[in-house]
Amino acid sequence: YLESLNARGRMEYAQRCGTSLDYLWQIANGLRTPKVQLAIAISRESGARVALEQLIADADWAYVRSQGIEART
C-alpha cells in the first residue's frame, strides 16, 4: 500500500496512523510486527487495503471471528 502513495501521501498516512514513516516501512518489509492498536490504525487508514491478517499473521483469526469480533478487511 505504501508504494502506491506519493511522498506526501506516505507522510500523511503515517501521521493518520500515529507513527513514523520509517516504522511503517519496517512493518511493510516484515521487520516489525505492530501492536494491535497500530495494526487497526494501519488497516483503517488504508481503507482496509491493508488487512489485519497481513499485519498480525500469528493471531488465531478463526477464533476471533467465532467470538463475534470480526476484523474489517
Side-chain angles (χ1 to χ4, degrees):
Y1 175 74
L2 283 176
E3 292 177 353
S4 72
L5 302 173
N6 63 27
R8 182 178 177 158
R10 290 177 188 148
M11 291 300 296
E12 291 171 353
Y13 176 64
Q15 284 182 323
R16 289 194 314 271
C17 290
T19 193
S20 70
L21 182 55
D22 286 338
Y23 196 66
L24 286 179
W25 279 119
Q26 290 176 19
I27 293 168
N29 289 315
L31 301 174
R32 303 277 185 181
T33 300
K35 291 185 179 182
V36 172
Q37 296 89 340
L38 179 55
I40 291 169
I42 291 169
S43 183
R44 180 187 63 234
E45 296 303 326
S46 72
R49 289 182 202 100
V50 180
L52 288 172
E53 288 89 338
Q54 291 174 289
L55 298 167
I56 307 174
D58 62 345
D60 186 347
W61 291 104
Y63 175 77
V64 171
R65 288 189 185 91
S66 76
Q67 299 303 302
I69 306 167
E70 294 232 359
R72 305 265 178 214
T73 59

